[in-house]
Amino acid sequence: MTKEEAKKRIDKLIKQVDDLRYRYHVLDDPQASDAVYDSLQRELAELEKQFPELKRDDSPLHRVGGKPLDKFIKVRHEVRQWSFNDAFSKQEMYDWQERISKMLTASFGPKVKPEYVCELKIDGLHIVFTYQRGLLVQAATRGDGLVGEDVTQNIKTIQSVPLRLKKEVDVIVEGEVWLSEKQLAAINKKRQQCALAEFANPRNAAAGTIRQLDPKVVAERRLDCFVYDWSGGKTKGPDSQLEELKALAELGFKVNDHYRLCQNLEEVVAFHESWATKKSSQPYWIDGVVVKINSLKMQQALGYVGKAPRWAIAYKFPAQEVTTVIDDIQVQVGRLGTLTPVAHLRPVKLAGTIVKRATLHNEDQIRKLGVKIGDTVVIRKAGEIIPEVVSVLPKLRSGKERNFTMPKKCPECGFAVIKKESAETGGGRSVDWYCTNRHCFAQQQRRIIHFVSKKAFNIEGLGEKIVSQLMEEGLLKTPADIFKLQQDDLTPLERFAEKSAANLILAIEQAKEISLARFVYALGIEHVGEETAIDLAQFYGNLDRLTKATSIELTSIPDIGPAVAKSIEAWFADKNNKLLLEELRNNGVKIEAEKIKSSAGKLKGQKIAVTGTLSALGRDEAKTKIRQAGGDWVNSVSKNTDYVVVGDNPGSKFAKAKSLGLKIIKEEEFLELLK
């Protein structure tokens, strides 16, 4: 066979094998036996061996051809990844509808009637896929929404994921990798035989599989994948969620076909209720229904808040509930000194895991539920994650149950406890009790554990037990001490051999370079979670600017209110915290500056508000461009606002801007300013 003949044959073989793969794994319509499929792949392998220069990037033989990796590489997402807010009842869904209706009316007028697309919420692992000219070039985990891990080699082993699309498009799509219960049973049976711990549920198994460094192990476990979102790329997507799902299927993706277009919320509720009773009929886990506004124009007008889109919500099924007995209630001290009562339970299986503890939140919640030690209680996993006590079954009481009272002193250090003033209660006392000793061992321990956690410095090998051990040995007092540790400090200690000590020191060294957003989150500032840390990093760009921020300036950042702003300002003004920042820098911590927000530009120092719908830019894109030009995006209009940009169907900001005599510009002028 000549080289030209071999090329033609290889092209035809790849096309034929891919067609059989698509029919079997996507359409569930097998057209040939496994023997035929294997025979075609063997012929292809022989030709690739004979003509290695003719190997194609989309060859099906690449699916399990990679060598085991040493580690996963971090990659920055081109499109930021979001998560959905949850609703657990009809009332919460109607509350969501009421919130977005006001915004849609302001943008599109009183006659606006949004349609909703309902999709099954598959309980798996979120993956972001990037295709260039139709070829899969990268697959990454969600990570913190900005940075994930490159798992392309493992994703290529999933037969329902196309290596090449049916059209040469540049797209970024999102989907859910999942494992069937049948496959889980087979995997656990094999793990039993090897005396390995079994996976608790399909989601854990899918996540654990994608984290395997050897793609051959991943291939053996037969993961599957549904794609549901066209989120970016140079190729423009459709104008509605419904058309988006159809377009994704036409490109060759496996799209879950149990979706529905609903004209109103009553139809949404009916769809949700129907699947609540038949969710176990599918081979994958379903934990709810994702409800999205169908129109992409409306989605852009609604935008995002915090970590989630306003235009979508996860309407969860009722959490799985079980009964058990509270053997004891103990108080846990958090990193901010908060005292949280925790129920210690008789172990019980819930949603695939063994639960031994559940939160009781605070003293008021205990009083409201009427919980006593020894009670039989109903527990559930809120959002399928955090176990909580829902109710008490008082008819099962024996008379031996005991009342619980919150301690008057910290159970860890013995200092007095107080209730602070709370902005959420209008200046009244908070519902939580706090330890008054800022040097409390438990608080310091929790601060350091938070500091090294996955979303912060992510120091592998520095878990809760090791942190406690190092603190008890006097090696750790503050987070800055972590970066002074030497191998010789660790090797004499219990649990540390020479290799484990060396591994931990290496992990600490590798963690010294960190993004500004992760660093701010690691500091554990009250009210500053992951999303707020990202917003602060994008707004200020570097730590020095952030440390000088005033509470007034901070409230100009979207989604940062007075209580959060005051907390941030107070943290950076504290002399102990200033000393901590100085020690971290002296110990080699390097904080990467954010490049999203420019400190100089045509709009430097200008406060800009937008009202109505812009035809050329979505809200988030407009925010980013304003910040890149040095300006400040503001949600509300005041006398300090420099520009009010008016799009189609402007809201009340337009009228207020006119009454204040502010500078009002149209979209065309705004785009000129951004150039």
Side-chain angles (χ1 to χ4, degrees), residues 73-81 128 130 138 140-142 144-150 172 514-518 534 537-538 592-596:
I73 298 169
K74 302 284 185 184
V75 291
R76 181 168 284 272
H77 292 302
E78 189 175 325
V79 177
R80 180 171 173 179
Q81 299 301 296
V128 185
T130 302
Q138 182 178 283
T141 59
R142 181 188 183 278
D144 64 3
L146 294 177
V147 176
E149 290 182 323
D150 189 328
I172 298 170
I514 188 171
S515 71
L516 178 58
R518 292 172 77 96
I534 290 169
Q538 291 182 346
E592 301 167 8
E594 282 283 348
K595 297 178 181 178
I596 295 175

PDB file of all heavy atoms in Angstrom, residues 73-81 128 130 138 140-142 144-150 172 514-518 534 537-538 592-596:
ATOM      1  N   ILE A  73      -2.091  19.497  35.566  1.00  0.00           N
ATOM      2  CA  ILE A  73      -1.652  20.885  35.361  1.00  0.00           C
ATOM      3  C   ILE A  73      -2.839  21.823  35.555  1.00  0.00           C
ATOM      4  O   ILE A  73      -3.942  21.551  35.069  1.00  0.00           O
ATOM      5  CB  ILE A  73      -1.058  21.058  33.947  1.00  0.00           C
ATOM      6  CG1 ILE A  73       0.164  20.161  33.786  1.00  0.00           C
ATOM      7  CG2 ILE A  73      -0.696  22.511  33.678  1.00  0.00           C
ATOM      8  CD1 ILE A  73       0.666  20.057  32.361  1.00  0.00           C
ATOM      9  N   LYS A  74      -2.614  22.937  36.240  1.00  0.00           N
ATOM     10  CA  LYS A  74      -3.654  23.947  36.431  1.00  0.00           C
ATOM     11  C   LYS A  74      -3.839  24.733  35.129  1.00  0.00           C
ATOM     12  O   LYS A  74      -2.867  25.083  34.461  1.00  0.00           O
ATOM     13  CB  LYS A  74      -3.266  24.928  37.545  1.00  0.00           C
ATOM     14  CG  LYS A  74      -3.003  24.276  38.895  1.00  0.00           C
ATOM     15  CD  LYS A  74      -4.282  23.883  39.583  1.00  0.00           C
ATOM     16  CE  LYS A  74      -4.018  23.349  40.988  1.00  0.00           C
ATOM     17  NZ  LYS A  74      -5.236  22.874  41.630  1.00  0.00           N
ATOM     18  N   VAL A  75      -5.093  25.024  34.795  1.00  0.00           N
ATOM     19  CA  VAL A  75      -5.388  25.831  33.602  1.00  0.00           C
ATOM     20  C   VAL A  75      -6.429  26.892  33.962  1.00  0.00           C
ATOM     21  O   VAL A  75      -7.346  26.637  34.744  1.00  0.00           O
ATOM     22  CB  VAL A  75      -5.905  24.974  32.426  1.00  0.00           C
ATOM     23  CG1 VAL A  75      -4.811  24.094  31.867  1.00  0.00           C
ATOM     24  CG2 VAL A  75      -7.102  24.124  32.836  1.00  0.00           C
ATOM     25  N   ARG A  76      -6.283  28.081  33.392  1.00  0.00           N
ATOM     26  CA  ARG A  76      -7.235  29.167  33.647  1.00  0.00           C
ATOM     27  C   ARG A  76      -8.364  29.069  32.627  1.00  0.00           C
ATOM     28  O   ARG A  76      -8.127  28.974  31.422  1.00  0.00           O
ATOM     29  CB  ARG A  76      -6.540  30.528  33.544  1.00  0.00           C
ATOM     30  CG  ARG A  76      -7.468  31.712  33.827  1.00  0.00           C
ATOM     31  CD  ARG A  76      -6.687  32.999  34.001  1.00  0.00           C
ATOM     32  NE  ARG A  76      -6.034  33.052  35.296  1.00  0.00           N
ATOM     33  CZ  ARG A  76      -6.610  33.527  36.393  1.00  0.00           C
ATOM     34  NH1 ARG A  76      -7.840  33.985  36.349  1.00  0.00           N
ATOM     35  NH2 ARG A  76      -5.957  33.545  37.536  1.00  0.00           N
ATOM     36  N   HIS A  77      -9.592  29.110  33.105  1.00  0.00           N
ATOM     37  CA  HIS A  77     -10.745  29.015  32.220  1.00  0.00           C
ATOM     38  C   HIS A  77     -10.889  30.288  31.379  1.00  0.00           C
ATOM     39  O   HIS A  77     -10.769  31.400  31.891  1.00  0.00           O
ATOM     40  CB  HIS A  77     -12.035  28.819  33.026  1.00  0.00           C
ATOM     41  CG  HIS A  77     -12.113  27.501  33.721  1.00  0.00           C
ATOM     42  ND1 HIS A  77     -12.042  26.300  33.049  1.00  0.00           N
ATOM     43  CD2 HIS A  77     -12.257  27.179  35.038  1.00  0.00           C
ATOM     44  CE1 HIS A  77     -12.133  25.308  33.915  1.00  0.00           C
ATOM     45  NE2 HIS A  77     -12.262  25.816  35.127  1.00  0.00           N
ATOM     46  N   GLU A  78     -11.161  30.096  30.106  1.00  0.00           N
ATOM     47  CA  GLU A  78     -11.446  31.245  29.243  1.00  0.00           C
ATOM     48  C   GLU A  78     -12.815  31.826  29.576  1.00  0.00           C
ATOM     49  O   GLU A  78     -13.052  33.026  29.460  1.00  0.00           O
ATOM     50  CB  GLU A  78     -11.401  30.811  27.774  1.00  0.00           C
ATOM     51  CG  GLU A  78     -11.462  31.963  26.797  1.00  0.00           C
ATOM     52  CD  GLU A  78     -11.283  31.511  25.357  1.00  0.00           C
ATOM     53  OE1 GLU A  78     -10.517  30.558  25.119  1.00  0.00           O
ATOM     54  OE2 GLU A  78     -11.910  32.112  24.463  1.00  0.00           O
ATOM     55  N   VAL A  79     -13.745  30.962  29.983  1.00  0.00           N
ATOM     56  CA  VAL A  79     -15.085  31.381  30.395  1.00  0.00           C
ATOM     57  C   VAL A  79     -15.243  31.027  31.870  1.00  0.00           C
ATOM     58  O   VAL A  79     -15.081  29.869  32.252  1.00  0.00           O
ATOM     59  CB  VAL A  79     -16.176  30.660  29.571  1.00  0.00           C
ATOM     60  CG1 VAL A  79     -17.560  31.050  30.067  1.00  0.00           C
ATOM     61  CG2 VAL A  79     -16.031  30.985  28.096  1.00  0.00           C
ATOM     62  N   ARG A  80     -15.556  32.010  32.690  1.00  0.00           N
ATOM     63  CA  ARG A  80     -15.702  31.755  34.125  1.00  0.00           C
ATOM     64  C   ARG A  80     -16.827  30.753  34.376  1.00  0.00           C
ATOM     65  O   ARG A  80     -17.873  30.799  33.733  1.00  0.00           O
ATOM     66  CB  ARG A  80     -15.999  33.068  34.867  1.00  0.00           C
ATOM     67  CG  ARG A  80     -16.154  32.845  36.365  1.00  0.00           C
ATOM     68  CD  ARG A  80     -16.230  34.133  37.117  1.00  0.00           C
ATOM     69  NE  ARG A  80     -16.542  33.885  38.515  1.00  0.00           N
ATOM     70  CZ  ARG A  80     -16.649  34.828  39.435  1.00  0.00           C
ATOM     71  NH1 ARG A  80     -16.465  36.074  39.103  1.00  0.00           N
ATOM     72  NH2 ARG A  80     -16.941  34.523  40.675  1.00  0.00           N
ATOM     73  N   GLN A  81     -16.593  29.862  35.330  1.00  0.00           N
ATOM     74  CA  GLN A  81     -17.564  28.829  35.661  1.00  0.00           C
ATOM     75  C   GLN A  81     -18.386  29.242  36.883  1.00  0.00           C
ATOM     76  O   GLN A  81     -17.835  29.712  37.871  1.00  0.00           O
ATOM     77  CB  GLN A  81     -16.850  27.506  35.923  1.00  0.00           C
ATOM     78  CG  GLN A  81     -16.063  26.990  34.728  1.00  0.00           C
ATOM     79  CD  GLN A  81     -16.949  26.778  33.517  1.00  0.00           C
ATOM     80  OE1 GLN A  81     -17.848  25.943  33.535  1.00  0.00           O
ATOM     81  NE2 GLN A  81     -16.707  27.537  32.454  1.00  0.00           N
ATOM     82  N   VAL A 128     -15.344  21.256  31.566  1.00  0.00           N
ATOM     83  CA  VAL A 128     -15.360  22.288  30.530  1.00  0.00           C
ATOM     84  C   VAL A 128     -14.535  21.779  29.346  1.00  0.00           C
ATOM     85  O   VAL A 128     -13.361  21.419  29.510  1.00  0.00           O
ATOM     86  CB  VAL A 128     -14.765  23.607  31.056  1.00  0.00           C
ATOM     87  CG1 VAL A 128     -14.893  24.704  30.016  1.00  0.00           C
ATOM     88  CG2 VAL A 128     -15.438  24.016  32.358  1.00  0.00           C
ATOM     89  N   THR A 130     -12.988  22.400  25.435  1.00  0.00           N
ATOM     90  CA  THR A 130     -12.618  23.408  24.434  1.00  0.00           C
ATOM     91  C   THR A 130     -12.295  22.715  23.115  1.00  0.00           C
ATOM     92  O   THR A 130     -11.452  21.804  23.074  1.00  0.00           O
ATOM     93  CB  THR A 130     -11.398  24.222  24.903  1.00  0.00           C
ATOM     94  OG1 THR A 130     -11.700  24.845  26.154  1.00  0.00           O
ATOM     95  CG2 THR A 130     -11.047  25.302  23.891  1.00  0.00           C
ATOM     96  N   GLN A 138      -8.837  20.618  24.797  1.00  0.00           N
ATOM     97  CA  GLN A 138      -8.680  20.647  26.255  1.00  0.00           C
ATOM     98  C   GLN A 138      -9.979  20.298  26.961  1.00  0.00           C
ATOM     99  O   GLN A 138     -11.061  20.682  26.522  1.00  0.00           O
ATOM    100  CB  GLN A 138      -8.229  22.046  26.704  1.00  0.00           C
ATOM    101  CG  GLN A 138      -7.984  22.156  28.209  1.00  0.00           C
ATOM    102  CD  GLN A 138      -7.506  23.537  28.609  1.00  0.00           C
ATOM    103  OE1 GLN A 138      -6.345  23.878  28.410  1.00  0.00           O
ATOM    104  NE2 GLN A 138      -8.401  24.340  29.148  1.00  0.00           N
ATOM    105  N   ALA A 140     -11.227  20.386  31.132  1.00  0.00           N
ATOM    106  CA  ALA A 140     -10.756  20.812  32.452  1.00  0.00           C
ATOM    107  C   ALA A 140     -11.867  20.714  33.483  1.00  0.00           C
ATOM    108  O   ALA A 140     -13.047  20.869  33.166  1.00  0.00           O
ATOM    109  CB  ALA A 140     -10.230  22.246  32.389  1.00  0.00           C
ATOM    110  N   THR A 141     -11.473  20.475  34.731  1.00  0.00           N
ATOM    111  CA  THR A 141     -12.444  20.479  35.832  1.00  0.00           C
ATOM    112  C   THR A 141     -12.845  21.917  36.149  1.00  0.00           C
ATOM    113  O   THR A 141     -12.153  22.858  35.772  1.00  0.00           O
ATOM    114  CB  THR A 141     -11.834  19.846  37.094  1.00  0.00           C
ATOM    115  OG1 THR A 141     -10.666  20.597  37.474  1.00  0.00           O
ATOM    116  CG2 THR A 141     -11.450  18.406  36.843  1.00  0.00           C
ATOM    117  N   ARG A 142     -13.952  22.076  36.876  1.00  0.00           N
ATOM    118  CA  ARG A 142     -14.429  23.414  37.226  1.00  0.00           C
ATOM    119  C   ARG A 142     -13.452  24.146  38.142  1.00  0.00           C
ATOM    120  O   ARG A 142     -13.221  25.337  37.993  1.00  0.00           O
ATOM    121  CB  ARG A 142     -15.801  23.312  37.926  1.00  0.00           C
ATOM    122  CG  ARG A 142     -16.374  24.665  38.311  1.00  0.00           C
ATOM    123  CD  ARG A 142     -17.636  24.521  39.165  1.00  0.00           C
ATOM    124  NE  ARG A 142     -18.202  25.821  39.457  1.00  0.00           N
ATOM    125  CZ  ARG A 142     -17.777  26.627  40.439  1.00  0.00           C
ATOM    126  NH1 ARG A 142     -16.787  26.263  41.216  1.00  0.00           N
ATOM    127  NH2 ARG A 142     -18.341  27.799  40.640  1.00  0.00           N
ATOM    128  N   ASP A 144     -12.046  26.320  40.990  1.00  0.00           N
ATOM    129  CA  ASP A 144     -12.656  27.406  41.758  1.00  0.00           C
ATOM    130  C   ASP A 144     -13.491  28.338  40.890  1.00  0.00           C
ATOM    131  O   ASP A 144     -13.919  29.400  41.344  1.00  0.00           O
ATOM    132  CB  ASP A 144     -11.585  28.208  42.514  1.00  0.00           C
ATOM    133  CG  ASP A 144     -10.607  28.931  41.574  1.00  0.00           C
ATOM    134  OD1 ASP A 144     -10.796  28.865  40.337  1.00  0.00           O
ATOM    135  OD2 ASP A 144      -9.660  29.565  42.066  1.00  0.00           O
ATOM    136  N   GLY A 145     -13.727  27.927  39.634  1.00  0.00           N
ATOM    137  CA  GLY A 145     -14.502  28.765  38.717  1.00  0.00           C
ATOM    138  C   GLY A 145     -13.621  29.574  37.792  1.00  0.00           C
ATOM    139  O   GLY A 145     -14.021  29.910  36.669  1.00  0.00           O
ATOM    140  N   LEU A 146     -12.409  29.894  38.239  1.00  0.00           N
ATOM    141  CA  LEU A 146     -11.448  30.630  37.417  1.00  0.00           C
ATOM    142  C   LEU A 146     -10.321  29.723  36.933  1.00  0.00           C
ATOM    143  O   LEU A 146      -9.859  29.847  35.802  1.00  0.00           O
ATOM    144  CB  LEU A 146     -10.854  31.802  38.212  1.00  0.00           C
ATOM    145  CG  LEU A 146     -11.817  32.921  38.593  1.00  0.00           C
ATOM    146  CD1 LEU A 146     -11.097  33.964  39.439  1.00  0.00           C
ATOM    147  CD2 LEU A 146     -12.403  33.573  37.353  1.00  0.00           C
ATOM    148  N   VAL A 147      -9.886  28.804  37.795  1.00  0.00           N
ATOM    149  CA  VAL A 147      -8.787  27.902  37.460  1.00  0.00           C
ATOM    150  C   VAL A 147      -9.214  26.466  37.755  1.00  0.00           C
ATOM    151  O   VAL A 147      -9.738  26.179  38.834  1.00  0.00           O
ATOM    152  CB  VAL A 147      -7.516  28.250  38.265  1.00  0.00           C
ATOM    153  CG1 VAL A 147      -6.402  27.243  37.984  1.00  0.00           C
ATOM    154  CG2 VAL A 147      -7.045  29.663  37.941  1.00  0.00           C
ATOM    155  N   GLY A 148      -9.009  25.581  36.782  1.00  0.00           N
ATOM    156  CA  GLY A 148      -9.305  24.170  36.958  1.00  0.00           C
ATOM    157  C   GLY A 148      -8.075  23.331  36.664  1.00  0.00           C
ATOM    158  O   GLY A 148      -6.964  23.860  36.558  1.00  0.00           O
ATOM    159  N   GLU A 149      -8.266  22.020  36.520  1.00  0.00           N
ATOM    160  CA  GLU A 149      -7.156  21.125  36.201  1.00  0.00           C
ATOM    161  C   GLU A 149      -7.392  20.483  34.834  1.00  0.00           C
ATOM    162  O   GLU A 149      -8.510  20.099  34.489  1.00  0.00           O
ATOM    163  CB  GLU A 149      -7.025  20.039  37.265  1.00  0.00           C
ATOM    164  CG  GLU A 149      -6.521  20.567  38.594  1.00  0.00           C
ATOM    165  CD  GLU A 149      -6.354  19.475  39.637  1.00  0.00           C
ATOM    166  OE1 GLU A 149      -7.182  18.548  39.658  1.00  0.00           O
ATOM    167  OE2 GLU A 149      -5.404  19.550  40.425  1.00  0.00           O
ATOM    168  N   ASP A 150      -6.316  20.373  34.068  1.00  0.00           N
ATOM    169  CA  ASP A 150      -6.382  19.775  32.742  1.00  0.00           C
ATOM    170  C   ASP A 150      -6.504  18.251  32.871  1.00  0.00           C
ATOM    171  O   ASP A 150      -5.591  17.581  33.349  1.00  0.00           O
ATOM    172  CB  ASP A 150      -5.117  20.139  31.959  1.00  0.00           C
ATOM    173  CG  ASP A 150      -5.211  19.737  30.488  1.00  0.00           C
ATOM    174  OD1 ASP A 150      -5.875  18.724  30.185  1.00  0.00           O
ATOM    175  OD2 ASP A 150      -4.631  20.430  29.635  1.00  0.00           O
ATOM    176  N   ILE A 172     -16.546  26.476  23.288  1.00  0.00           N
ATOM    177  CA  ILE A 172     -16.317  26.002  24.653  1.00  0.00           C
ATOM    178  C   ILE A 172     -17.670  25.532  25.162  1.00  0.00           C
ATOM    179  O   ILE A 172     -18.647  26.294  25.132  1.00  0.00           O
ATOM    180  CB  ILE A 172     -15.764  27.118  25.552  1.00  0.00           C
ATOM    181  CG1 ILE A 172     -14.400  27.595  25.034  1.00  0.00           C
ATOM    182  CG2 ILE A 172     -15.626  26.620  26.999  1.00  0.00           C
ATOM    183  CD1 ILE A 172     -13.890  28.839  25.709  1.00  0.00           C
ATOM    184  N   ILE A 514       0.801  32.245  44.789  1.00  0.00           N
ATOM    185  CA  ILE A 514      -0.655  32.101  44.879  1.00  0.00           C
ATOM    186  C   ILE A 514      -1.336  33.292  44.234  1.00  0.00           C
ATOM    187  O   ILE A 514      -0.811  34.413  44.241  1.00  0.00           O
ATOM    188  CB  ILE A 514      -1.079  31.957  46.363  1.00  0.00           C
ATOM    189  CG1 ILE A 514      -2.559  31.605  46.486  1.00  0.00           C
ATOM    190  CG2 ILE A 514      -0.725  33.197  47.169  1.00  0.00           C
ATOM    191  CD1 ILE A 514      -2.993  31.231  47.891  1.00  0.00           C
ATOM    192  N   SER A 515      -2.520  33.049  43.664  1.00  0.00           N
ATOM    193  CA  SER A 515      -3.279  34.153  43.061  1.00  0.00           C
ATOM    194  C   SER A 515      -3.835  35.051  44.161  1.00  0.00           C
ATOM    195  O   SER A 515      -4.031  34.624  45.306  1.00  0.00           O
ATOM    196  CB  SER A 515      -4.432  33.609  42.210  1.00  0.00           C
ATOM    197  OG  SER A 515      -5.432  33.052  43.046  1.00  0.00           O
ATOM    198  N   LEU A 516      -4.094  36.307  43.818  1.00  0.00           N
ATOM    199  CA  LEU A 516      -4.619  37.263  44.792  1.00  0.00           C
ATOM    200  C   LEU A 516      -5.966  36.790  45.347  1.00  0.00           C
ATOM    201  O   LEU A 516      -6.222  36.894  46.548  1.00  0.00           O
ATOM    202  CB  LEU A 516      -4.759  38.647  44.150  1.00  0.00           C
ATOM    203  CG  LEU A 516      -5.353  39.745  45.035  1.00  0.00           C
ATOM    204  CD1 LEU A 516      -4.528  39.939  46.290  1.00  0.00           C
ATOM    205  CD2 LEU A 516      -5.456  41.055  44.256  1.00  0.00           C
ATOM    206  N   ALA A 517      -6.830  36.256  44.478  1.00  0.00           N
ATOM    207  CA  ALA A 517      -8.163  35.824  44.923  1.00  0.00           C
ATOM    208  C   ALA A 517      -8.063  34.716  45.966  1.00  0.00           C
ATOM    209  O   ALA A 517      -8.723  34.754  47.006  1.00  0.00           O
ATOM    210  CB  ALA A 517      -8.989  35.358  43.731  1.00  0.00           C
ATOM    211  N   ARG A 518      -7.229  33.717  45.712  1.00  0.00           N
ATOM    212  CA  ARG A 518      -7.078  32.608  46.657  1.00  0.00           C
ATOM    213  C   ARG A 518      -6.427  33.093  47.954  1.00  0.00           C
ATOM    214  O   ARG A 518      -6.759  32.616  49.044  1.00  0.00           O
ATOM    215  CB  ARG A 518      -6.255  31.481  46.028  1.00  0.00           C
ATOM    216  CG  ARG A 518      -6.982  30.785  44.885  1.00  0.00           C
ATOM    217  CD  ARG A 518      -6.061  29.807  44.177  1.00  0.00           C
ATOM    218  NE  ARG A 518      -5.897  28.590  44.932  1.00  0.00           N
ATOM    219  CZ  ARG A 518      -6.593  27.473  44.749  1.00  0.00           C
ATOM    220  NH1 ARG A 518      -7.527  27.439  43.833  1.00  0.00           N
ATOM    221  NH2 ARG A 518      -6.367  26.398  45.466  1.00  0.00           N
ATOM    222  N   ILE A 534     -12.797  36.762  44.876  1.00  0.00           N
ATOM    223  CA  ILE A 534     -12.549  36.932  43.442  1.00  0.00           C
ATOM    224  C   ILE A 534     -12.914  38.353  43.011  1.00  0.00           C
ATOM    225  O   ILE A 534     -12.165  39.017  42.280  1.00  0.00           O
ATOM    226  CB  ILE A 534     -13.350  35.890  42.630  1.00  0.00           C
ATOM    227  CG1 ILE A 534     -12.778  34.492  42.853  1.00  0.00           C
ATOM    228  CG2 ILE A 534     -13.333  36.228  41.137  1.00  0.00           C
ATOM    229  CD1 ILE A 534     -13.644  33.373  42.322  1.00  0.00           C
ATOM    230  N   ALA A 537     -10.267  40.770  44.191  1.00  0.00           N
ATOM    231  CA  ALA A 537      -9.032  40.630  43.416  1.00  0.00           C
ATOM    232  C   ALA A 537      -9.168  41.291  42.048  1.00  0.00           C
ATOM    233  O   ALA A 537      -8.258  41.981  41.578  1.00  0.00           O
ATOM    234  CB  ALA A 537      -8.679  39.150  43.265  1.00  0.00           C
ATOM    235  N   GLN A 538     -10.320  41.098  41.423  1.00  0.00           N
ATOM    236  CA  GLN A 538     -10.533  41.676  40.096  1.00  0.00           C
ATOM    237  C   GLN A 538     -10.671  43.193  40.158  1.00  0.00           C
ATOM    238  O   GLN A 538     -10.296  43.894  39.231  1.00  0.00           O
ATOM    239  CB  GLN A 538     -11.777  41.060  39.453  1.00  0.00           C
ATOM    240  CG  GLN A 538     -11.602  39.596  39.090  1.00  0.00           C
ATOM    241  CD  GLN A 538     -12.832  39.019  38.414  1.00  0.00           C
ATOM    242  OE1 GLN A 538     -13.895  39.619  38.438  1.00  0.00           O
ATOM    243  NE2 GLN A 538     -12.679  37.855  37.814  1.00  0.00           N
ATOM    244  N   GLU A 592       0.317  36.750  43.149  1.00  0.00           N
ATOM    245  CA  GLU A 592       0.206  37.169  41.749  1.00  0.00           C
ATOM    246  C   GLU A 592      -0.811  38.296  41.621  1.00  0.00           C
ATOM    247  O   GLU A 592      -1.916  38.211  42.156  1.00  0.00           O
ATOM    248  CB  GLU A 592      -0.243  35.990  40.877  1.00  0.00           C
ATOM    249  CG  GLU A 592       0.696  34.793  40.918  1.00  0.00           C
ATOM    250  CD  GLU A 592       0.058  33.553  40.314  1.00  0.00           C
ATOM    251  OE1 GLU A 592      -1.043  33.668  39.740  1.00  0.00           O
ATOM    252  OE2 GLU A 592       0.650  32.470  40.429  1.00  0.00           O
ATOM    253  N   ALA A 593      -0.444  39.336  40.897  1.00  0.00           N
ATOM    254  CA  ALA A 593      -1.380  40.444  40.656  1.00  0.00           C
ATOM    255  C   ALA A 593      -2.425  40.011  39.641  1.00  0.00           C
ATOM    256  O   ALA A 593      -2.147  39.230  38.736  1.00  0.00           O
ATOM    257  CB  ALA A 593      -0.632  41.669  40.148  1.00  0.00           C
ATOM    258  N   GLU A 594      -3.640  40.483  39.801  1.00  0.00           N
ATOM    259  CA  GLU A 594      -4.711  40.206  38.838  1.00  0.00           C
ATOM    260  C   GLU A 594      -4.570  41.147  37.646  1.00  0.00           C
ATOM    261  O   GLU A 594      -4.260  42.322  37.805  1.00  0.00           O
ATOM    262  CB  GLU A 594      -6.076  40.421  39.494  1.00  0.00           C
ATOM    263  CG  GLU A 594      -6.501  39.276  40.378  1.00  0.00           C
ATOM    264  CD  GLU A 594      -7.003  38.079  39.587  1.00  0.00           C
ATOM    265  OE1 GLU A 594      -7.236  38.229  38.377  1.00  0.00           O
ATOM    266  OE2 GLU A 594      -7.154  37.006  40.179  1.00  0.00           O
ATOM    267  N   LYS A 595      -4.809  40.633  36.444  1.00  0.00           N
ATOM    268  CA  LYS A 595      -4.678  41.456  35.247  1.00  0.00           C
ATOM    269  C   LYS A 595      -6.025  41.882  34.678  1.00  0.00           C
ATOM    270  O   LYS A 595      -6.090  42.587  33.687  1.00  0.00           O
ATOM    271  CB  LYS A 595      -3.900  40.688  34.177  1.00  0.00           C
ATOM    272  CG  LYS A 595      -2.470  40.377  34.603  1.00  0.00           C
ATOM    273  CD  LYS A 595      -1.730  39.571  33.540  1.00  0.00           C
ATOM    274  CE  LYS A 595      -0.320  39.246  34.008  1.00  0.00           C
ATOM    275  NZ  LYS A 595       0.420  38.422  33.013  1.00  0.00           N
ATOM    276  N   ILE A 596      -7.102  41.437  35.305  1.00  0.00           N
ATOM    277  CA  ILE A 596      -8.435  41.734  34.756  1.00  0.00           C
ATOM    278  C   ILE A 596      -8.777  43.203  34.901  1.00  0.00           C
ATOM    279  O   ILE A 596      -9.319  43.818  34.010  1.00  0.00           O
ATOM    280  CB  ILE A 596      -9.493  40.852  35.446  1.00  0.00           C
ATOM    281  CG1 ILE A 596      -9.224  39.389  35.090  1.00  0.00           C
ATOM    282  CG2 ILE A 596     -10.901  41.240  35.038  1.00  0.00           C
ATOM    283  CD1 ILE A 596     -10.112  38.405  35.785  1.00  0.00           C
TER     284      ILE A 596
END
